[in-house]
Amino acid sequence: MASQHPAILAGVDLSRRNRKPRLLTEPERQRLEEFADGIHYSSRYSDDKFEYRHVQLPKAMLKQIPKDYFDSSKGALKLLWEEEWRNLGITQSLGWEHYEVHEPEPHILLFKYGLSLPPWIRPPLTLGEQETD
């Protein structure tokens, strides 16, 4: 059996992404660096299949993100490949998938992580987080 891309396994709609990751140019990256400290990460929450968290970008940062990261029909960010969200300055452990944008507040990105992965691959809790049952 051929292995599937993790986004397919996580139920992410790949048609809402760029066809391939669009990496930032150096000048674009430099413009976005000043916002990295203002990125807010929620606590994790879960259901029986996934662990979730949302990431809140500074609103002013959206104006500096390249236009081809946006879905012009929705006025919100496309679903981002891992390389893209990491280029924006979002830092999380491996395995998180950007699966939705909260359209009323397009600076809020929703991420999920499959709980079916073995525990030693799951992201570690950060200081202040607690396991949820």
Side-chain angles (χ1 to χ4, degrees):
M1 177 175 159
S3 69
Q4 291 185 310
H5 187 280
I8 294 169
L9 295 174
V12 174
D13 182 356
L14 296 178
S15 71
R16 294 180 54 203
R17 288 187 169 169
N18 285 324
R19 291 179 59 137
K20 62 181 183 175
R22 193 283 208 190
L23 302 181
L24 297 175
T25 64
E26 192 55 36
E28 290 169 337
R29 186 185 331 271
Q30 289 174 356
R31 279 196 307 272
L32 292 167
E33 277 179 0
E34 71 178 89
F35 299 102
D37 289 340
I39 296 172
H40 172 75
Y41 302 86
S42 75
S43 296
R44 299 176 192 180
Y45 44 99
S46 62
D47 60 20
D48 60 335
K49 294 182 182 176
F50 295 100
E51 188 166 34
Y52 303 92
R53 80 171 343 154
H54 58 272
V55 174
Q56 184 174 338
L57 303 176
K59 289 180 183 179
M61 183 180 189
L62 288 181
K63 295 177 184 171
Q64 299 300 321
I65 295 173
K67 299 286 183 230
D68 49 354
Y69 273 50
F70 288 86
D71 180 338
S72 59
S73 69
K74 296 183 180 208
L77 285 169
K78 294 177 182 178
L79 299 183
L80 302 175
W81 294 98
E82 182 173 349
E83 296 91 337
E84 293 172 326
W85 56 258
R86 287 194 186 282
N87 268 260
L88 295 179
I90 297 171
T91 57
Q92 304 183 93
S93 53
L94 297 174
W96 288 96
E97 286 289 335
H98 177 214
Y99 76 97
E100 192 60 81
V101 174
H102 183 56
E103 289 177 24
E105 299 178 287
H107 63 291
I108 298 177
L109 312 181
L110 307 175
F111 288 84
K112 65 182 174 179
Y113 187 92
L115 292 176
S116 62
L117 294 173
W120 60 87
I121 296 177
R122 293 186 56 208
L125 292 175
T126 58
L127 187 63
E129 288 185 320
Q130 298 178 3
E131 280 288 336
T132 56
D133 295 326

